[in-house]
Amino acid sequence: MIKFFLMVNKQGQTRLSKYYEHVEINKRTLLETEVIRSCLSRSNEQCSFIEFKDFKLIYRQYAALFIVVGVNDTENEMAIYGFIHNFVEVLDEYFSRVSELDIMFNLNKVHIILDEMVLNGCIVETNRARILAPLLILDKMSES
Amino acid sequence: MALTVVSQIFPREMIPAVLPLIEDKLQHSKEIIRRKAVLALYKFHLIAPNQVQHIHIKFRKALCDRDVGVMAASLHIYFRMIKENSSGYKDLTGSFVTILKQVVGGKLPVDFNYHSVPAPWLQIQLLRILGLLGKDDQRTSELMYDVLDESLRRAELNHNVTYAILFECVHTVYSIYPKSELLEKAAKCIGRFVLSPKINLKYLGLKALTYVIQQDPTLALQHQMTIIECLDHPDPIIKRETLELLYRITNAQNITVIVQKMLEYLQQSKEEYIIVNLVGKIAETVDTYAPDNAWFIQTMNAVFSVGGDVMHPDIPNNFLRLLAEGFDDETENQQLRLYAVQSYLTLLDAENVFYPQKFLQVMSWVLGEYSYLLDEETPEEVITKLYKLLMNDSVSSETKAWLLAAVTKLTPQAHSSNIVERLIQEFTVSLDTCMRQHAFELKHLRENVELMKSLLPVDKSCEDMVVDASLSFLDGFVAEELSQGAAPYKPHHQRQEEKLSQEKVLNFEPYGLSFSSSGFTGRQSPAGISLGSDISGNSAETGLKETNSLKLEGIKKLWGKEGYLPKKEGKTGDETEVPPVPQESIIMENVDQTIIKKDQSQVLTQSKEEKEKQLLASSLFVGLGTESTINLLGKADTVSHKFRRKSKVKETKSGETTSAQNMPCSYFSSSSDVTYEDDYYLDTLQDRGDKELNKFSLNSELLDSESLTELPSVEKLSSCTLSTPSLFTDDMEGLHSPLSTAASVANEISLASSLLEETSEHMHSDLVEVCNNETISVSSYKIWKDDCLLVVWSVSNKSGLELKSADLEISSAENFKITEQPGCCLPVIETESIKTFQYSVQMEKPFTEGNLFGFINYQMMDTHSLQLEFSVNLSLLDFIRPLKISTENFGKLWLSFANDVKQNVKMSESQAALPSALKTLQQKLRLHVVEIIGNEGLLACQLLPSIPCLLHFRVHGDVLALWFRSSCSTLPDYLLYQCQKVVEGS
């Protein structure tokens, strides 16, 4: 079960955060800073899974952007690790060579994509064409 | 889009309104709509599973959908449902296996492939479901062996996602019923993971190994070297995982090394959560496997100094208990204790070292108890050290209390003690009332050395402390006081009331304060703790064993005969200034207010009487102090419960409706009752008490069923209570005679005979055979009694042989509370005879259906014992009884209930009228019809033991509008489901 999904850059600014379990707003910032600190403290040789309090963090770094997913211990870490990459691939396809700026200025679209892929803490869709289908329809509507 | 929103944020109250719309969408032609609808239903299932119960069939349809997406979405629902109840979905194993086979075989559309792996996350989800289904179930597991083998073989590509699948596969292989070939393959896989240079894989491998090792420790041997390497790995996460792995394989031989490694890690880590976790694990392993004393103490020292104050409070408690109780070998115990004392003294010698408070507390206790074992160092030196600590500002007041208690214990052993005097001087003026009290106690104890020695015996911490919970030794005193015209004891709430009404007349102020601040069960005052450790140590947890020398012991060991004195004086002298000390409030809560009040007024004039009283007061103070410290509160509760019960009986016996005020009064004064009370409490031994209680309830039940079944409840109640006293005397006899068997046998006999009557008088189900073999057959039936559900199993012996020691056991189920009726273990079942066992079952939380599992054990002549398993299905309806109330009461109740559920149900044509609908509800659901007004009806029922539920319904054409309200939040949902079934079904 996925607890939260975070996109944070190296400076510790949160670009996107989505929680699948209720966390109080003021505690979120605290949690995010702790999470990013523990991610930044790790080197490339170390593994991408961190045991953090009573749950696990799985992170992946893309240029200056970290994607961190918090899961409980029933989840398969490697599956999430692969899933993060899948998510980035989808973003890449939609934005054609995605960058941090794309995410900053099209946050709503990133959210739509993420909602297609994860619901209530479960991975629900991984098929790239299907994930993007609703978004493309929306785009078409706004153009016409 | 709306469906996506639905599955993200949705209040459970709105589900009934939207549900039909979403159900429609399940048939939509577009796959995306269908998929979203399933996901929305998943959300509903998450927040309110009982509201979507009726559409489970539609989930099955979704599982067989021609589109992969829809099928995948339904898997989430199944995963959850199977997790809750795997046995209900075994029949679907075949479908899951087929689906997985198709996925693995690449039968899916190409766009589902991810890096040429077919739908990896889908595979993982399926594997997880299979793992749950196949757990401990050979037959289901056999279905999956092929497909698991296939997925292990296919997932050979070098890609992260395939590793994830492999990991899940291994996990599944080890959770289902084992098959050697697959295990071998899985083990090979793990080997590949562990040996991999990629760090993430290594982590995964270790994790898998940790999981696997519980079943197959030999696998660890193969990877020994890798594990050792991982231990020194630069990445702390890998290290953690390795330690976790080692923790699982700890045994007596490798403990030293493993704990050493754990401690090393512990000293490096800073995060609180990790420390707490690891300290707990170390303490646990050390407790179980410690090889020798010195090592044990040293390790625990290290644990205490690092873990310090964040650790779980059980750890120091366990440690102290181990020290106090020791092992079988007495010399070894002494050595252990001696070593502990020595090591603590050396630790305390070190200057400028700060230890965590918990560690200091442990030290002070050990030093106080076992310093006498030291040869070369005198108690004075130890006291000096403790004194130094006491003067230290960084020590918390709780720890100071512990320290002072240790000093008190040491004082009688010391010959001259200037330091003690200095200490007393220092602390009698302390601002902390607790400390001040301790100091006073110490001071007065010192004046009476003899008493002190008897009170603080050397090395007696382990002996069981005797507590007279009834305070029976006070009875004489109380009677005396009462005859002198003292006010009878009044319970707390009553005093409060009186206080309110008489505030101007009587000044209750100081007492009032102390009551409100006490809350004696929850609060364990530091003083109470240290006191407890003084007398009995934490070790007295082993339970308070009642002995016959009860009174003597209770007084002999009393703590603070004199110690209590100064406080009293202080209080009378200056009532407002001394804030009430927690212990005092404990006493006041529990004990006769009279004593203390009397004390106060007479303290100066009648010194002799006062002394006696204080003796009593402090002896009971001991009892309470210890009791609350040792966490025997549960027991205390049951005692008071019984007490209440008994007094109620007494109430009816005297034939008066006495108020709460008079009741204890009469109880105390009537001498016969007092003797009874004494006797009763002599037997507070837990099991005995339970047994007795059982018997008691049985008796009343017996009466119940024998004498009246159809009588109105009021009459029933009165006759029941009227007849109890006679029983009650029976009980007493049983209690007094050491062999109470006679009474219980008599009970059994009458029970057996009453059973048959019962069966005929109450509604009951038909006899259903639940299991049989060539020798016995077990059948069961349910009796729907007014106050409980009685499940009766009758075992008949078909063979021509006698069956020995037949024993029927019902395993406890999570939703049920099962009470065994006596007579369940029969020594012999004679040839071709029938014996019955009965259990009363109560529901602890509402649900639709549940199974009760049990088995019967028996022994044939000359053969070993055999076991036969069976199960009985119980539904919610078994626990529903009509609630007979008037319309007026209905209205009141209706307004007081917060949880309501509304739903429209379509009726089948045959019964599209109010009367017929009513009849069905009344008959099938056992609802009570309160009133019918026009086309509306009021019904009421209750879930046993006493959760009421009200139903209002109205008929429009062929639609029945149901509206439930109850005090329980889930009950209406379940009832609605049942109603729907009944109304739509017929």
mmCIF file of all heavy atoms in Angstrom, chain B residues 327-358:
data_model
loop_
_atom_site.group_PDB
_atom_site.id
_atom_site.type_symbol
_atom_site.label_atom_id
_atom_site.label_comp_id
_atom_site.label_asym_id
_atom_site.label_seq_id
_atom_site.Cartn_x
_atom_site.Cartn_y
_atom_site.Cartn_z
ATOM 1 N N PHE B 327 16.950 -17.944 38.967
ATOM 2 C CA PHE B 327 16.780 -19.216 38.284
ATOM 3 C C PHE B 327 16.595 -20.299 39.326
ATOM 4 O O PHE B 327 16.328 -20.039 40.486
ATOM 5 C CB PHE B 327 17.999 -19.507 37.410
ATOM 6 C CG PHE B 327 18.374 -18.336 36.556
ATOM 7 C CD1 PHE B 327 19.431 -17.516 36.915
ATOM 8 C CD2 PHE B 327 17.647 -18.028 35.432
ATOM 9 C CE1 PHE B 327 19.759 -16.427 36.137
ATOM 10 C CE2 PHE B 327 17.961 -16.943 34.652
ATOM 11 C CZ PHE B 327 19.031 -16.139 35.010
ATOM 12 N N ASP B 328 16.830 -21.522 38.903
ATOM 13 C CA ASP B 328 16.633 -22.621 39.833
ATOM 14 C C ASP B 328 17.777 -22.720 40.835
ATOM 15 O O ASP B 328 17.610 -23.150 41.961
ATOM 16 C CB ASP B 328 16.521 -23.935 39.045
ATOM 17 C CG ASP B 328 15.354 -23.867 38.087
ATOM 18 O OD1 ASP B 328 14.400 -23.145 38.420
ATOM 19 O OD2 ASP B 328 15.401 -24.502 37.026
ATOM 20 N N ASP B 329 18.919 -22.330 40.376
ATOM 21 C CA ASP B 329 20.110 -22.534 41.181
ATOM 22 C C ASP B 329 20.343 -21.328 42.091
ATOM 23 O O ASP B 329 20.541 -20.211 41.630
ATOM 24 C CB ASP B 329 21.295 -22.741 40.223
ATOM 25 C CG ASP B 329 22.533 -23.104 40.997
ATOM 26 O OD1 ASP B 329 22.427 -23.245 42.227
ATOM 27 O OD2 ASP B 329 23.590 -23.239 40.344
ATOM 28 N N GLU B 330 20.350 -21.570 43.371
ATOM 29 C CA GLU B 330 20.429 -20.453 44.304
ATOM 30 C C GLU B 330 21.797 -19.769 44.265
ATOM 31 O O GLU B 330 21.893 -18.539 44.269
ATOM 32 C CB GLU B 330 20.110 -20.952 45.727
ATOM 33 C CG GLU B 330 19.941 -19.869 46.769
ATOM 34 C CD GLU B 330 18.921 -18.810 46.356
ATOM 35 O OE1 GLU B 330 17.890 -19.167 45.724
ATOM 36 O OE2 GLU B 330 19.147 -17.635 46.652
ATOM 37 N N THR B 331 22.875 -20.556 44.207
ATOM 38 C CA THR B 331 24.204 -19.911 44.216
ATOM 39 C C THR B 331 24.381 -19.065 42.970
ATOM 40 O O THR B 331 24.968 -17.981 43.014
ATOM 41 C CB THR B 331 25.315 -20.971 44.267
ATOM 42 O OG1 THR B 331 25.041 -21.931 43.251
ATOM 43 C CG2 THR B 331 25.377 -21.634 45.616
ATOM 44 N N GLU B 332 23.854 -19.546 41.901
ATOM 45 C CA GLU B 332 23.986 -18.772 40.666
ATOM 46 C C GLU B 332 23.245 -17.445 40.794
ATOM 47 O O GLU B 332 23.735 -16.404 40.355
ATOM 48 C CB GLU B 332 23.417 -19.572 39.503
ATOM 49 C CG GLU B 332 23.797 -19.004 38.166
ATOM 50 C CD GLU B 332 23.766 -20.086 37.106
ATOM 51 O OE1 GLU B 332 24.302 -21.175 37.346
ATOM 52 O OE2 GLU B 332 23.186 -19.811 36.057
ATOM 53 N N ASN B 333 22.108 -17.509 41.440
ATOM 54 C CA ASN B 333 21.358 -16.278 41.672
ATOM 55 C C ASN B 333 22.186 -15.280 42.440
ATOM 56 O O ASN B 333 22.259 -14.102 42.088
ATOM 57 C CB ASN B 333 20.105 -16.582 42.493
ATOM 58 C CG ASN B 333 19.028 -17.161 41.626
ATOM 59 O OD1 ASN B 333 19.131 -17.072 40.408
ATOM 60 N ND2 ASN B 333 18.022 -17.737 42.235
ATOM 61 N N GLN B 334 22.785 -15.782 43.502
ATOM 62 C CA GLN B 334 23.576 -14.878 44.336
ATOM 63 C C GLN B 334 24.687 -14.262 43.515
ATOM 64 O O GLN B 334 24.956 -13.066 43.598
ATOM 65 C CB GLN B 334 24.178 -15.638 45.527
ATOM 66 C CG GLN B 334 23.148 -16.289 46.419
ATOM 67 C CD GLN B 334 22.274 -15.271 47.124
ATOM 68 O OE1 GLN B 334 22.408 -14.077 46.904
ATOM 69 N NE2 GLN B 334 21.361 -15.728 47.941
ATOM 70 N N GLN B 335 25.313 -15.086 42.720
ATOM 71 C CA GLN B 335 26.407 -14.578 41.885
ATOM 72 C C GLN B 335 25.913 -13.485 40.957
ATOM 73 O O GLN B 335 26.534 -12.434 40.821
ATOM 74 C CB GLN B 335 26.974 -15.714 41.037
ATOM 75 C CG GLN B 335 28.091 -16.451 41.720
ATOM 76 C CD GLN B 335 28.552 -17.601 40.854
ATOM 77 O OE1 GLN B 335 28.077 -17.749 39.723
ATOM 78 N NE2 GLN B 335 29.477 -18.376 41.383
ATOM 79 N N LEU B 336 24.804 -13.768 40.348
ATOM 80 C CA LEU B 336 24.244 -12.823 39.392
ATOM 81 C C LEU B 336 23.981 -11.495 40.071
ATOM 82 O O LEU B 336 24.359 -10.435 39.585
ATOM 83 C CB LEU B 336 22.942 -13.400 38.823
ATOM 84 C CG LEU B 336 22.160 -12.521 37.870
ATOM 85 C CD1 LEU B 336 22.942 -12.341 36.590
ATOM 86 C CD2 LEU B 336 20.811 -13.133 37.561
ATOM 87 N N ARG B 337 23.368 -11.577 41.231
ATOM 88 C CA ARG B 337 23.029 -10.346 41.935
ATOM 89 C C ARG B 337 24.279 -9.624 42.393
ATOM 90 O O ARG B 337 24.386 -8.398 42.271
ATOM 91 C CB ARG B 337 22.152 -10.685 43.139
ATOM 92 C CG ARG B 337 20.772 -11.146 42.715
ATOM 93 C CD ARG B 337 20.018 -11.704 43.871
ATOM 94 N NE ARG B 337 18.802 -12.366 43.398
ATOM 95 C CZ ARG B 337 18.111 -13.235 44.125
ATOM 96 N NH1 ARG B 337 18.530 -13.546 45.345
ATOM 97 N NH2 ARG B 337 17.023 -13.788 43.649
ATOM 98 N N LEU B 338 25.201 -10.400 42.911
ATOM 99 C CA LEU B 338 26.443 -9.800 43.383
ATOM 100 C C LEU B 338 27.112 -9.075 42.229
ATOM 101 O O LEU B 338 27.565 -7.938 42.356
ATOM 102 C CB LEU B 338 27.352 -10.905 43.925
ATOM 103 C CG LEU B 338 28.648 -10.423 44.554
ATOM 104 C CD1 LEU B 338 28.326 -9.572 45.768
ATOM 105 C CD2 LEU B 338 29.502 -11.609 44.971
ATOM 106 N N TYR B 339 27.152 -9.748 41.120
ATOM 107 C CA TYR B 339 27.804 -9.140 39.979
ATOM 108 C C TYR B 339 27.095 -7.853 39.574
ATOM 109 O O TYR B 339 27.731 -6.856 39.259
ATOM 110 C CB TYR B 339 27.832 -10.121 38.812
ATOM 111 C CG TYR B 339 28.712 -9.619 37.709
ATOM 112 C CD1 TYR B 339 30.083 -9.840 37.767
ATOM 113 C CD2 TYR B 339 28.193 -8.867 36.668
ATOM 114 C CE1 TYR B 339 30.906 -9.340 36.801
ATOM 115 C CE2 TYR B 339 29.019 -8.356 35.698
ATOM 116 C CZ TYR B 339 30.378 -8.600 35.757
ATOM 117 O OH TYR B 339 31.179 -8.085 34.805
ATOM 118 N N ALA B 340 25.795 -7.894 39.602
ATOM 119 C CA ALA B 340 25.034 -6.698 39.235
ATOM 120 C C ALA B 340 25.369 -5.550 40.170
ATOM 121 O O ALA B 340 25.665 -4.431 39.740
ATOM 122 C CB ALA B 340 23.547 -6.990 39.297
ATOM 123 N N VAL B 341 25.379 -5.838 41.480
ATOM 124 C CA VAL B 341 25.663 -4.792 42.460
ATOM 125 C C VAL B 341 27.048 -4.223 42.222
ATOM 126 O O VAL B 341 27.243 -2.995 42.170
ATOM 127 C CB VAL B 341 25.534 -5.367 43.888
ATOM 128 C CG1 VAL B 341 26.021 -4.357 44.903
ATOM 129 C CG2 VAL B 341 24.102 -5.734 44.166
ATOM 130 N N GLN B 342 27.995 -5.111 42.038
ATOM 131 C CA GLN B 342 29.364 -4.635 41.840
ATOM 132 C C GLN B 342 29.478 -3.758 40.611
ATOM 133 O O GLN B 342 30.092 -2.690 40.639
ATOM 134 C CB GLN B 342 30.314 -5.832 41.716
ATOM 135 C CG GLN B 342 30.683 -6.392 43.067
ATOM 136 C CD GLN B 342 31.331 -7.746 42.945
ATOM 137 O OE1 GLN B 342 31.282 -8.372 41.879
ATOM 138 N NE2 GLN B 342 31.931 -8.207 44.030
ATOM 139 N N SER B 343 28.869 -4.221 39.538
ATOM 140 C CA SER B 343 29.013 -3.456 38.301
ATOM 141 C C SER B 343 28.352 -2.086 38.437
ATOM 142 O O SER B 343 28.871 -1.088 37.930
ATOM 143 C CB SER B 343 28.418 -4.223 37.127
ATOM 144 O OG SER B 343 27.025 -4.206 37.225
ATOM 145 N N TYR B 344 27.265 -2.024 39.171
ATOM 146 C CA TYR B 344 26.616 -0.731 39.329
ATOM 147 C C TYR B 344 27.450 0.199 40.185
ATOM 148 O O TYR B 344 27.523 1.403 39.914
ATOM 149 C CB TYR B 344 25.221 -0.905 39.944
ATOM 150 C CG TYR B 344 24.258 -1.559 39.001
ATOM 151 C CD1 TYR B 344 23.221 -2.330 39.435
ATOM 152 C CD2 TYR B 344 24.430 -1.403 37.635
ATOM 153 C CE1 TYR B 344 22.358 -2.938 38.566
ATOM 154 C CE2 TYR B 344 23.578 -2.010 36.743
ATOM 155 C CZ TYR B 344 22.547 -2.787 37.209
ATOM 156 O OH TYR B 344 21.696 -3.392 36.320
ATOM 157 N N LEU B 345 28.079 -0.368 41.204
ATOM 158 C CA LEU B 345 28.910 0.489 42.050
ATOM 159 C C LEU B 345 30.060 1.077 41.242
ATOM 160 O O LEU B 345 30.377 2.255 41.374
ATOM 161 C CB LEU B 345 29.429 -0.306 43.249
ATOM 162 C CG LEU B 345 28.368 -0.566 44.318
ATOM 163 C CD1 LEU B 345 28.937 -1.402 45.435
ATOM 164 C CD2 LEU B 345 27.842 0.751 44.867
ATOM 165 N N THR B 346 30.664 0.253 40.428
ATOM 166 C CA THR B 346 31.753 0.786 39.602
ATOM 167 C C THR B 346 31.229 1.851 38.661
ATOM 168 O O THR B 346 31.887 2.880 38.446
ATOM 169 C CB THR B 346 32.424 -0.325 38.754
ATOM 170 O OG1 THR B 346 31.604 -1.478 38.811
ATOM 171 C CG2 THR B 346 33.814 -0.607 39.234
ATOM 172 N N LEU B 347 30.073 1.599 38.113
ATOM 173 C CA LEU B 347 29.510 2.584 37.195
ATOM 174 C C LEU B 347 29.259 3.905 37.923
ATOM 175 O O LEU B 347 29.511 4.984 37.382
ATOM 176 C CB LEU B 347 28.195 2.086 36.614
ATOM 177 C CG LEU B 347 28.303 1.094 35.467
ATOM 178 C CD1 LEU B 347 26.926 0.610 35.073
ATOM 179 C CD2 LEU B 347 28.979 1.738 34.275
ATOM 180 N N LEU B 348 28.779 3.797 39.155
ATOM 181 C CA LEU B 348 28.470 5.017 39.896
ATOM 182 C C LEU B 348 29.740 5.745 40.321
ATOM 183 O O LEU B 348 29.723 6.959 40.538
ATOM 184 C CB LEU B 348 27.627 4.690 41.137
ATOM 185 C CG LEU B 348 26.180 4.319 40.870
ATOM 186 C CD1 LEU B 348 25.460 4.031 42.163
ATOM 187 C CD2 LEU B 348 25.460 5.431 40.117
ATOM 188 N N ASP B 349 30.824 4.994 40.438
ATOM 189 C CA ASP B 349 32.078 5.624 40.829
ATOM 190 C C ASP B 349 32.572 6.613 39.788
ATOM 191 O O ASP B 349 33.220 7.601 40.116
ATOM 192 C CB ASP B 349 33.149 4.549 41.046
ATOM 193 C CG ASP B 349 33.082 4.060 42.471
ATOM 194 O OD1 ASP B 349 32.505 4.799 43.295
ATOM 195 O OD2 ASP B 349 33.579 2.962 42.748
ATOM 196 N N ALA B 350 32.305 6.301 38.555
ATOM 197 C CA ALA B 350 32.804 7.151 37.489
ATOM 198 C C ALA B 350 32.224 8.552 37.639
ATOM 199 O O ALA B 350 31.031 8.729 37.851
ATOM 200 C CB ALA B 350 32.416 6.567 36.144
ATOM 201 N N GLU B 351 33.104 9.509 37.539
ATOM 202 C CA GLU B 351 32.663 10.888 37.731
ATOM 203 C C GLU B 351 32.097 11.453 36.429
ATOM 204 O O GLU B 351 32.473 11.041 35.339
ATOM 205 C CB GLU B 351 33.869 11.743 38.157
ATOM 206 C CG GLU B 351 34.422 11.392 39.529
ATOM 207 C CD GLU B 351 33.540 11.916 40.660
ATOM 208 O OE1 GLU B 351 32.888 12.957 40.461
ATOM 209 O OE2 GLU B 351 33.494 11.272 41.718
ATOM 210 N N ASN B 352 31.188 12.371 36.585
ATOM 211 C CA ASN B 352 30.681 13.142 35.450
ATOM 212 C C ASN B 352 30.113 12.301 34.318
ATOM 213 O O ASN B 352 30.279 12.614 33.150
ATOM 214 C CB ASN B 352 31.775 14.032 34.876
ATOM 215 C CG ASN B 352 32.184 15.065 35.884
ATOM 216 O OD1 ASN B 352 31.354 15.555 36.657
ATOM 217 N ND2 ASN B 352 33.466 15.381 35.909
ATOM 218 N N VAL B 353 29.516 11.230 34.676
ATOM 219 C CA VAL B 353 28.845 10.450 33.635
ATOM 220 C C VAL B 353 27.346 10.547 33.899
ATOM 221 O O VAL B 353 26.901 10.437 35.038
ATOM 222 C CB VAL B 353 29.281 8.982 33.678
ATOM 223 C CG1 VAL B 353 28.638 8.216 32.553
ATOM 224 C CG2 VAL B 353 30.789 8.900 33.582
ATOM 225 N N PHE B 354 26.616 10.787 32.864
ATOM 226 C CA PHE B 354 25.162 10.888 33.050
ATOM 227 C C PHE B 354 24.500 9.627 32.536
ATOM 228 O O PHE B 354 24.708 9.229 31.394
ATOM 229 C CB PHE B 354 24.618 12.110 32.322
ATOM 230 C CG PHE B 354 25.107 13.376 32.918
ATOM 231 C CD1 PHE B 354 26.115 14.096 32.308
ATOM 232 C CD2 PHE B 354 24.577 13.829 34.111
ATOM 233 C CE1 PHE B 354 26.591 15.262 32.872
ATOM 234 C CE2 PHE B 354 25.047 14.990 34.685
ATOM 235 C CZ PHE B 354 26.058 15.713 34.072
ATOM 236 N N TYR B 355 23.719 9.024 33.392
ATOM 237 C CA TYR B 355 22.983 7.847 32.961
ATOM 238 C C TYR B 355 21.525 8.207 32.765
ATOM 239 O O TYR B 355 21.013 9.101 33.437
ATOM 240 C CB TYR B 355 23.114 6.752 34.011
ATOM 241 C CG TYR B 355 24.520 6.296 34.212
ATOM 242 C CD1 TYR B 355 25.203 6.606 35.368
ATOM 243 C CD2 TYR B 355 25.168 5.582 33.218
ATOM 244 C CE1 TYR B 355 26.516 6.218 35.545
ATOM 245 C CE2 TYR B 355 26.477 5.186 33.385
ATOM 246 C CZ TYR B 355 27.151 5.505 34.553
ATOM 247 O OH TYR B 355 28.435 5.111 34.714
ATOM 248 N N PRO B 356 20.874 7.511 31.899
ATOM 249 C CA PRO B 356 19.436 7.769 31.741
ATOM 250 C C PRO B 356 18.689 7.462 33.043
ATOM 251 O O PRO B 356 19.138 6.625 33.836
ATOM 252 C CB PRO B 356 19.022 6.777 30.657
ATOM 253 C CG PRO B 356 20.261 6.384 29.983
ATOM 254 C CD PRO B 356 21.357 6.510 30.964
ATOM 255 N N GLN B 357 17.583 8.120 33.232
ATOM 256 C CA GLN B 357 16.833 7.988 34.484
ATOM 257 C C GLN B 357 16.421 6.544 34.756
ATOM 258 O O GLN B 357 16.504 6.072 35.880
ATOM 259 C CB GLN B 357 15.576 8.863 34.441
ATOM 260 C CG GLN B 357 15.863 10.325 34.214
ATOM 261 C CD GLN B 357 16.675 10.925 35.337
ATOM 262 O OE1 GLN B 357 16.469 10.592 36.482
ATOM 263 N NE2 GLN B 357 17.611 11.786 35.005
ATOM 264 N N LYS B 358 16.014 5.865 33.715
ATOM 265 C CA LYS B 358 15.536 4.500 33.916
ATOM 266 C C LYS B 358 16.652 3.618 34.453
ATOM 267 O O LYS B 358 16.432 2.756 35.298
ATOM 268 C CB LYS B 358 15.022 3.926 32.591
ATOM 269 C CG LYS B 358 13.684 4.472 32.194
ATOM 270 C CD LYS B 358 12.685 3.346 31.961
ATOM 271 C CE LYS B 358 11.305 3.883 31.695
ATOM 272 N NZ LYS B 358 11.112 4.342 30.325
#
